């Protein structure tokens, strides 16, 4: 495992100014896997100062050169893929095969999509034929604070760093203290790729310390945060004093609407999607809405599918799911499973406690509740574990009403062979994304939500635009 390192600021690894030691716990064993330093306000200030000093030079760097550095980063990233996979597996519990394919693979995927989008994007363009002397210029927002979560570490780091780098922003990354090792490897990659000193900086810390210092810092022009809605609200309040841009990717409580005419694999697909990454995904289809004619069969099938989902250590190869990230999350999930039982939902798979054969590690039984109604706690709160709630409905109108009856609005799912109905429902669902019949969003499609799932969009050209200001110039001289 990675040896203890400090912070990456202004192109160098530096010791913390006011750091404290922090043990990173392997959730499969509950044992420390390494020790890092958590910084404080002085460390955040040093990183922001480095980013601010580098901003003018990086903004003036031709876009083609910025793109070329991201292309070099992909080469370095791919060469270090196994190191990255091992780090994420040990620190947040992704099974090693899943870590190699999905967790590491997400980073390559997003960086490649940014490069494709950037090469087609006009950073300076005419307003229109009616105004030959007016110009629209897209330029960097400025210094960006990037605060990333533990559940999909490289997915979120690359979505933010790749877009910010191409846009011309300088940045300070604060990864989650639960999964910091991947970010430290990533900082090594940025250094090896040749990004100029100060363009990318990385400081480990927790939310109340470094997170608060960055979101309220007067020299930070933008905060891009992925995490809980609770933390997103606190960041927004803290950032409001300096009127900086705040980009939030928050929680979800996705509805997976399965009609009577859904394809034969719809239920199985929905259960396995829910259990992927041990349910620790903001876009998980955690509410399965099933039309009455298919309901009993769907409940039986969902229970059977969940019963075949195996649980095991993250270090072992295979298609099992691993533990959840820590004891706090494990306890929260157990409390919510018990809440589901207490409120009268029908437990058809899994339940409280660790799976059979485990007396250590933050393992959760793949759990399915049937006969849930949308007022139950398990249908309202984001559980962030392998727990599925099945809710019956009768009509299309009722399905849309239930799906939209949530404070969240990230991803919803629709399963029906009726094309007109699919299209009709997609326009009625209040979510930033709708995926239908198992079709994933295409490369470069925007990721983001509505309501308490946040604002802004990540990925492709929309992700780059989130880090850009729009400048209108009149009197532009003909070239």
């Amino acid at each position: 495992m990675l040896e203890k390192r400090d912070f990456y600021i202004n192109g160098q690894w530096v010791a913390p100014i006011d750091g404290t030691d922090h043990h990173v716990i392997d959730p499969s064993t509950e044992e420390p896997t390494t020790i890092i330093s958590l910084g404080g306000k002085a460390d955040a200030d040093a990183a922001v100062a480095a980013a601010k000093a580098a901003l003018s030079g990086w903004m003036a760097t031709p876009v083609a050169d910025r793109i070329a550095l991201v292309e070099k980063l992909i080469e370095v990233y791919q060469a270090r893929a196994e190191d990255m996979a091992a780090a994420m597996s040990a620190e947040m519990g992704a099974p090693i095969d899943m870590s190699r394919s999905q967790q590491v693979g997400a980073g390559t995927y997003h960086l490649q999509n940014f490069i494709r989008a950037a090469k087609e994007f006009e950073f300076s363009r005419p307003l229109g034929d009616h105004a030959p002397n007016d110009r629209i210029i897209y330029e960097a927002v400025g210094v960006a604070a990037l605060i990333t979560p533990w559940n999909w570490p490289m997915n979120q780091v690359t979505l933010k760093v790749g877009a910010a780098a191409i846009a011309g922003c300088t940045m300070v990354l604060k990864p989650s203290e639960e999964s910091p090792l991947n970010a430290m490897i990533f900082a090594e990659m940025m250094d090896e790729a040749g990004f100029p000193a100060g363009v990318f900086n990385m400081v480990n810390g927790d939310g109340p310390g470094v997170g608060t210092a960055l979101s309220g810092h007067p020299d930070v022009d933008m905060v891009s945060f992925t995490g809980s809605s609770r933390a997103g609200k606190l960041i927004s309040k803290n950032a409001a004093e300096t009127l900086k841009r705040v980009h939030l990717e928050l929680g979800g409580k996705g509805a997976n609407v399965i009609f009577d005419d859904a394809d034969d694999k719809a239920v199985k697909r929905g259960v396995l999607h829910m259990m992927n990454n041990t349910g620790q995904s903001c876009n998980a289809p955690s509410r399965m809405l099933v039309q009455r004619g298919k309901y009993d069969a769907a409940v039986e099938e969902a229970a059977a599918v969940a019963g075949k989902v195996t649980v095991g250590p993250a270090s072992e190869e295979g298609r099992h799911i691993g533990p959840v990230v820590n004891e706090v999350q494990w306890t929260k999930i157990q409390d919510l499973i018990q809440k589901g039982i207490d409120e009268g939902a029908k437990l058809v798979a899994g339940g409280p406690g660790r799976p059979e054969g485990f007396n250590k590690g933050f393992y959760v039984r793949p759990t399915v509740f049937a006969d849930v109604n949308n007022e139950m706690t398990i249908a309202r709160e984001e559980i962030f574990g392998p727990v599925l709630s099945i809710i019956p409905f009768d009509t299309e109108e009722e399905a849309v009403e239930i799906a939209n009856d949530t404070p969240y609005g990230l991803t919803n799912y629709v399963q029906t062979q009726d094309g007109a109905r699919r299209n009709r429902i997609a326009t009625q669902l209040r979510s930033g994304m709708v995926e239908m019949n198992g079709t994933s969003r295409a490369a470069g499609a925007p990721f983001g939500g509505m309501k308490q799932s946040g604002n802004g969009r990540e990925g492709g050209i929309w992700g780059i635009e989130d880090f850009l200001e729009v400048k209108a110039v009149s009197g532009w001289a003909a070239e």
Side-chain angles (χ1 to χ4, degrees), residues 145-170:
L146 315 177
I147 303 176
T148 55
W150 47 262
N151 60 319
W152 286 94
M154 272 302 107
N155 184 76
Q156 293 307 133
V157 169
T158 55
L159 275 172
K160 298 182 191 302
V161 173
I166 287 173
C169 292
T170 56

Side-chain angles (χ1 to χ4, degrees), residues 325-454:
V325 71
N326 59 28
E327 185 177 8
V328 171
Q329 289 295 121
W330 187 88
T331 301
K332 173 193 170 186
I333 294 164
Q334 297 303 313
D335 289 346
L336 285 166
I337 291 173
Q338 187 59 52
K339 192 80 169 177
I341 295 170
D342 294 344
E343 292 184 357
K346 182 180 179 182
L347 183 67
V348 296
R354 290 180 173 86
E356 187 176 348
F358 292 92
N359 57 15
K360 195 174 186 181
F362 305 122
Y363 299 99
V364 176
R365 300 171 67 191
T367 297
V368 177
F369 283 102
D371 299 350
V372 177
N373 67 63
N374 215 41
E375 300 307 311
M376 292 181 179
T377 304
I378 56 174
R380 307 300 300 177
E381 293 191 17
E382 184 179 36
I383 298 174
F384 230 59
V387 182
L388 174 66
S389 298
I390 307 181
I391 303 172
F393 72 90
D394 291 301
T395 67
E396 178 181 319
E397 293 73 20
E398 184 186 8
V400 171
E401 182 180 356
I402 294 170
N404 286 339
D405 181 20
T406 172
Y408 297 105
L410 189 57
T411 314
N412 285 310
Y413 303 82
V414 179
Q415 322 295 328
T416 176
Q417 300 304 301
D418 185 335
R421 179 161 58 188
R422 286 202 308 271
N423 295 351
R424 186 168 58 247
I425 292 178
T427 63
Q428 296 175 32
L429 292 173
R430 292 286 296 159
S431 56
M433 298 169 286
V434 180
E435 297 184 12
M436 300 190 284
N437 288 353
T439 303
S440 299
R441 291 169 299 108
F447 184 102
M450 302 177 181
K451 301 190 286 185
Q452 291 190 28
S453 289

Side-chain angles (χ1 to χ4, degrees), residues 50-337:
K52 183 180 180 181
L55 179 61
S56 59
W58 185 238
M59 286 180 65
T61 300
V63 174
D65 292 349
R66 300 201 296 258
I67 291 172
L69 278 171
V70 176
E71 289 175 324
K72 176 62 177 176
L73 172 62
I74 292 176
E75 293 179 17
V76 178
Y77 185 93
Q78 291 173 328
R80 298 287 304 277
E82 187 60 24
D83 292 341
M84 187 68 78
M88 288 188 285
S89 183
E91 63 191 340
M92 55 75 58
I96 187 63
D97 283 351
M98 184 264 189
S99 188
R100 288 171 179 144
S101 60
Q102 296 182 47
Q103 295 279 4
V104 173
T108 309
Y109 178 78
H110 293 312
L111 293 175
Q112 289 172 338
N113 289 334
F114 283 136
I115 289 168
R116 183 186 304 113
K119 288 181 176 179
E120 298 176 356
F121 187 75
E122 293 181 275
F123 285 81
S124 177
R125 66 183 73 168
L127 174 62
D129 293 340
H130 69 289
N133 300 117
D134 279 51
R135 201 81 179 168
I136 301 299
I137 297 174
Y138 293 84
E139 68 178 34
V141 170
V143 174
L146 315 177
I147 303 176
T148 55
W150 47 262
N151 60 319
W152 286 94
M154 272 302 107
N155 184 76
Q156 293 307 133
V157 169
T158 55
L159 275 172
K160 298 182 191 302
V161 173
I166 287 173
C169 292
T170 56
M171 62 206 90
V172 179
L173 171 66
K174 189 209 83 66
S176 169
E177 66 274 23
E178 300 293 339
S179 60
L181 305 182
N182 66 89
M184 300 170 86
I185 296 172
F186 188 82
E188 295 177 347
M189 295 177 183
M190 293 290 286
D191 185 75
E192 185 177 344
F195 282 83
V199 169
F200 172 85
N201 307 274
M202 191 280 299
V203 177
N204 282 313
D206 58 18
V210 173
T212 297
L214 290 174
S215 59
H217 202 292
D219 290 332
V220 168
D221 301 293
M222 173 181 176
V223 177
S224 180
F225 169 77
T226 301
S228 69
S229 298
R230 178 192 59 79
K233 294 173 186 177
L234 294 173
I235 285 172
S236 297
K237 291 176 182 178
N238 194 39
E241 287 296 323
T242 50
L243 292 176
K244 58 173 56 68
R245 183 183 295 189
V246 178
H247 168 124
L248 301 172
E249 296 292 348
L250 307 176
K253 195 67 181 176
N256 184 11
V257 184
I258 300 179
F259 286 92
D260 286 345
D261 68 341
D263 66 87
D264 292 342
K265 296 181 180 179
V267 173
K268 180 178 180 180
R269 186 169 61 237
V271 174
L272 294 180
H273 190 170
M274 179 62 237
M275 302 302 166
N276 188 47
N277 203 38
T278 319
Q280 299 170 121
S281 300
C282 52
N283 61 343
S286 55
R287 291 181 299 152
M288 181 179 284
L289 279 54
V290 184
Q291 197 164 22
R292 193 77 62 177
K294 196 180 182 73
Y295 182 76
D296 290 341
V299 169
E300 184 177 349
E301 183 181 1
V305 172
K308 293 178 182 177
V309 174
T310 56
V311 180
S315 58
E316 292 184 1
E317 296 185 350
R319 299 184 64 182
H320 57 283
I321 64 173
V324 295
V325 71
N326 59 28
E327 185 177 8
V328 171
Q329 289 295 121
W330 187 88
T331 301
K332 173 193 170 186
I333 294 164
Q334 297 303 313
D335 289 346
L336 285 166
I337 291 173

